[in-house]
Amino acid sequence: MMWVLLIIGILILVLLILIFTKVRVYIDYKRVQTNDKIHIKLSAWYGLIHYTFKVPVIKKDDDSAAIVVKEEQEMKGKTKKEDMKKITPEDLRDGFADMKELLQHMVGFHRVVRQFTGKIQVKKFSWHSIVGTKNAAHTGVLTGACWALKGSIIGLLTTYLNFRIMPAYSITPDFQRWQANTSISCILQFRIGQAMVTGIKLLRYWKGGKPHFRSRKLAKLSGDSNKQSF
C-alpha cells in the first residue's frame, strides 16, 4: 500500500512540475535573396532541456518567378450536366440557420484560442527588412507600403499576444539594386499547463460543440469531416 501511495505521490508531483514548467520558443527567420532559413528552439528549465530544429520552406524556381509546389490534379474530359433545382422557403430558412450556426461555432473556437494566445508572453520581437528597386520613386512607394503592412501585422499581433517589450521593426530602402531581404527574431514563453488546458478545451469543444446543420448537404459534409477527423 505504501508503494502505491508513493508512486501516486511521485506522479502527482511530476504532473505539477510539468504543469508549471515554462517553455521558451526561440524563432529566427532570415531571407537573403532567394535563401530562406528558419530555426526554432524549444527550451525549458533555464536551458537544461532544449531542442532545436529547422523548418523546411517552399523553394523558389530558379528559372522563373514561380514557386515550386507539388500538386496532383485529375483531369476528366466529361462535362457534367447541371440540373435545375427548386429553392423553397424552407431551404432559405435552413440556409440562414446554418450560417448562424457556423458563425457561432467559429466565434466559440476563436474564443478558446484567444484565451491561450493572450497568455503567451513575447519576450523579444524584432523584424528588420531591406527593400529596394533600381528606381528611386518605386523604392519610395514600396518602402511606404511595407511600413504600412508591418504596422498592421504588428498591431494585430499585439491584440492576440502578451507583449512584454516594445516590438522593434524597421524598413531600410536600397535605391541601387533589387532587394527583398528580411529577418525576424522573437522569443515566446508560456506554461505547459496552459497549453494542456487549451488542448483539452479544444477537444471538448470540437466533440460537443460541433455545428449541427439543418440542410442535408451541409449536414452530410459535417458528418463526413467528423468521420475523417476521428
Side-chain angles (χ1 to χ4, degrees), residues 145-200:
C146 290
W147 272 111
L149 179 61
K150 274 195 177 184
S152 300
I153 294 175
I154 292 177
L156 182 63
L157 291 176
T158 54
T159 60
Y160 280 87
L161 303 175
N162 183 13
F163 275 74
R164 310 298 293 180
I165 47 88
M166 291 294 294
Y169 60 102
S170 66
I171 301 287
T172 303
D174 188 345
F175 300 98
Q176 304 298 327
R177 54 181 177 173
W178 289 92
Q179 279 211 67
N181 303 333
T182 189
S183 64
I184 301 174
S185 179
C186 61
I187 300 176
L188 311 177
Q189 180 176 284
F190 59 89
R191 296 183 186 274
I192 295 180
Q194 296 170 346
M196 293 172 60
V197 171
T198 302
I200 294 173

Side-chain angles (χ1 to χ4, degrees), residues 45-110:
W45 294 346
Y46 300 98
L48 294 178
I49 299 177
H50 59 87
Y51 180 72
T52 305
F53 58 95
K54 296 181 180 180
V55 178
V57 295
I58 300 175
K59 299 177 67 176
K60 184 177 179 299
D61 191 2
D62 296 333
D63 299 331
S64 64
I67 295 175
V68 178
V69 179
K70 289 185 177 180
E71 182 179 0
E72 295 182 0
Q73 294 182 351
E74 183 178 355
M75 301 297 294
K76 294 183 179 180
K78 298 181 179 179
T79 303
K80 292 185 178 180
K81 183 179 180 181
E82 296 184 359
D83 296 330
M84 299 297 293
K85 293 185 178 180
K86 185 178 180 181
I87 299 177
T88 64
E90 288 76 12
D91 294 333
L92 294 176
R93 179 198 61 193
D94 294 342
F96 285 117
D98 293 339
M99 183 63 66
K100 181 180 178 181
E101 181 76 16
L102 182 60
L103 290 175
Q104 290 177 350
H105 186 76
M106 294 176 62
V107 169
F109 188 85
H110 174 267

Side-chain angles (χ1 to χ4, degrees), residues 11-21:
L11 292 176
I12 293 175
L13 180 61
V14 171
L15 181 61
L16 290 174
I17 294 175
L18 185 64
I19 289 176
F20 290 99
T21 296

